[in-house]
Amino acid sequence: MAPFNFTHSDTSTFILMGIPGLEAAHIWISIPFFTFYIISLLGNVTLLCVVGKEQTLQKPMYLLLCMLALTDIATPTFVVPKALGIFWFNLKGITVAGCLTQMFFLHTISVMHSSTLVTMAFDRYVAICNPLRYATILSNAQIAKLGLVGFIRAVLFILPLPLLLSQQTFCANRIYPHTQCEYIAMVKMVCGDIRVSRIYGFVLMFVINGFDLTFIALSYGLIIRAVLRISSHKAHQKALNTCTAHICVLLTYYTPTFFSILTHYFGQGIAPYVHIILADLLLLIPPMLNPIIYGVKMKELRDKVVKYTCRSSADTKFTQSSADTRDDISSGLQCPSGNCQIVREYVNQH
C-alpha cells in the first residue's frame, strides 16, 4: 500500500528524505527503529522507577545512572517520532525553526550525556582511590551540582550553533537527505560563507570530546595505578569489576560517535545512506544498551529490579485470587433469611 503523502512544498521548510537509496525499505527499517525505541524507554523508565522507589539506591552512583537514563530517554525521543512519520506516512516537511530546534536539543543532550560519563568516571576514581572520603566528596547534593554544571556547559557551548545557522541563507533546494536535523549536514546546505560555522563546530567537537576523554583517561589511569598497588588478587578483581559497566557504556557511546564523525569528514566515497544509518544508530543503540549493561553488571540494581518485578506480579495475582475467594465465599455463604445481604457486604469489605 502506498504511504500517505503529506509532504509540504513550502519554501520555508526543509524536506527530510529519510534514508535516500533505501526508500523502498523504509517500512522494514522502521521496525528496528520502533523496537529499539520501545526497549530503550522500558529499560530507562524501569531504572528511574526502581531508584526512585528504593531508598537504598538513592546514592551518588545511582543518581548518576538516573541522569544517564534521562538523557537516554530524551535523545531518541527527539528523533524517532519524526523518523517514523517519514517512514510510515511520508511526513517529510519540517520548518527551518523546527530543524534548528531539534538540532539544538540533540547536541545539547549529547554534551550532557558526555558530561555524565565524565562524572561517572570521577565517581569511580573517588570510590577506588579515596574510599574513606567518598561520602564527603560525592554527596547527593554534589552530584546535583555537577549535573547542573553539565547542563549549563552544554547550553552555552551548543547555543551558538543554531544562532550562527539562523543568520545564514539556505539554498533554494532544501531537500535534506536525512531522518534528523544534524549540524554537519545542515552546514552543507548553507549558500553563504560558512567558515565561522565550520570552524566553531570543528573546534567545539575537539574541545568537548577532547576534554571529556582526557579527563576520563586520567581518571582510569589513576584507578589502574591504585589497583596495581593492591597486593590482593581478589581486591584487584573487585575494584576492576566496579568499572566494567562504565567502560562498556563508554565504548557503546564514543566508538560509534567518532566513527560517524570520521565518515562525515573523510568518507566521501561512502554511500550517503551509510552516514545516515550510522547517525541514527548512534542515537538508538546506546540508550537501549545502557540500562541492560548496568542491570547485568550491578548486582544490587539487578536484585532490586527483580524484587519490584516479582512483587508487582505477585500483587496482581494476589489481588485476583482475593477477589475470586471473596466471590466464592459470598456466593456459597449460608446464612439465616434476612441477614445474607449484611453478611455478604461484610465479606466483600474484608
Side-chain angles (χ1 to χ4, degrees):
M1 182 177 67
F4 297 106
N5 190 354
F6 296 114
T7 303
H8 299 287
S9 58
D10 188 354
T11 56
S12 65
T13 65
F14 288 125
I15 306 300
L16 292 175
M17 296 303 296
I19 305 178
L22 298 177
E23 289 88 352
H26 273 179
I27 293 296
W28 296 106
I29 294 172
S30 70
I31 296 174
F33 265 63
F34 183 73
T35 303
F36 293 165
Y37 180 52
I38 294 300
I39 294 174
S40 173
L41 286 182
L42 288 175
N44 288 290
V45 169
T46 299
L47 190 152
L48 290 172
C49 291
V50 170
V51 174
K53 288 182 178 181
E54 188 62 45
Q55 292 290 332
T56 60
L57 295 182
Q58 293 177 10
K59 298 181 289 188
M61 180 60 193
Y62 293 100
L63 294 182
L64 286 171
L65 284 183
C66 289
M67 290 168 57
L68 192 68
L70 288 173
T71 62
D72 285 341
I73 291 172
T75 300
T77 299
F78 281 112
V79 174
V80 173
K82 180 60 181 177
L84 293 178
I86 296 171
F87 295 153
W88 290 347
F89 308 111
N90 210 29
L91 292 168
K92 298 181 178 180
I94 183 170
T95 63
V96 174
C99 207
L100 291 173
T101 301
Q102 186 192 54
M103 183 200 71
F104 168 73
F105 281 111
L106 281 176
H107 290 292
T108 299
I109 293 168
S110 177
V111 175
M112 288 181 62
H113 189 102
S114 185
S115 299
T116 304
L117 293 177
V118 171
T119 309
M120 293 173 82
F122 181 63
D123 171 84
R124 293 299 83 203
Y125 160 74
V126 176
I128 294 174
C129 299
N130 293 287
L132 298 179
R133 299 181 57 199
Y134 181 86
T136 56
I137 296 175
L138 282 177
S139 62
N140 289 351
Q142 288 296 105
I143 293 298
K145 290 177 182 177
L146 290 173
L148 181 60
V149 169
F151 173 75
I152 293 173
R153 182 186 83 144
V155 172
L156 292 179
F157 276 136
I158 299 302
L159 188 58
L161 295 180
L163 292 179
L164 286 171
L165 286 178
S166 66
Q167 305 302 314
Q168 299 288 347
T169 301
F170 292 97
C171 299
N173 182 12
R174 299 193 175 190
I175 297 177
Y176 199 137
H178 217 304
T179 58
Q180 57 177 285
C181 294
E182 194 178 51
Y183 177 73
I184 298 175
M186 285 193 71
V187 167
K188 295 178 180 178
M189 300 183 66
V190 174
C191 287
D193 186 1
I194 60 172
R195 282 179 297 177
V196 175
S197 297
R198 272 189 174 275
I199 292 172
Y200 183 78
F202 200 71
V203 170
L204 187 64
M205 177 185 68
F206 280 100
V207 167
I208 293 177
N209 290 326
F211 172 81
D212 291 355
L213 285 174
T214 300
F215 194 93
I216 290 170
L218 178 63
S219 297
Y220 274 99
L222 294 173
I223 288 171
I224 292 171
R225 188 182 70 173
V227 169
L228 291 176
R229 290 178 176 178
I230 302 173
S231 58
S232 171
H233 177 72
K234 186 176 181 180
H236 279 184
Q237 188 176 8
K238 184 177 180 180
L240 293 176
N241 281 341
T242 63
C243 301
T244 53
H246 184 241
I247 292 172
C248 290
V249 170
L250 288 174
L251 292 175
T252 60
Y253 177 72
Y254 283 111
T255 302
T257 297
F258 277 103
F259 195 69
S260 178
I261 292 171
L262 290 174
T263 56
H264 261 294
Y265 281 102
F266 307 108
Q268 287 79 8
I270 300 176
Y273 63 81
V274 175
H275 296 277
I276 298 168
I277 292 175
L278 280 175
D280 288 334
L281 290 178
L282 172 62
L283 301 178
L284 288 169
I285 300 298
M288 179 184 67
L289 292 181
N290 288 346
I292 297 173
I293 291 171
Y294 277 103
V296 170
K297 292 292 184 180
M298 301 180 71
K299 185 178 183 300
E300 186 179 11
L301 177 62
R302 183 173 68 250
D303 291 344
K304 298 301 181 183
V305 171
V306 172
K307 169 188 169 183
Y308 280 102
T309 303
C310 293
R311 177 187 293 179
S312 176
S313 177
D315 288 345
T316 302
K317 292 180 180 178
F318 178 77
T319 302
Q320 183 61 41
S321 176
S322 299
D324 294 343
T325 302
R326 286 197 303 269
D327 291 343
D328 292 342
I329 294 175
S330 180
S331 62
L333 192 63
Q334 299 295 326
C335 58
S337 176
N339 294 328
C340 289
Q341 183 62 32
I342 296 174
V343 177
R344 285 196 183 98
E345 290 178 359
Y346 176 81
V347 171
N348 286 331
Q349 291 173 3
H350 295 79

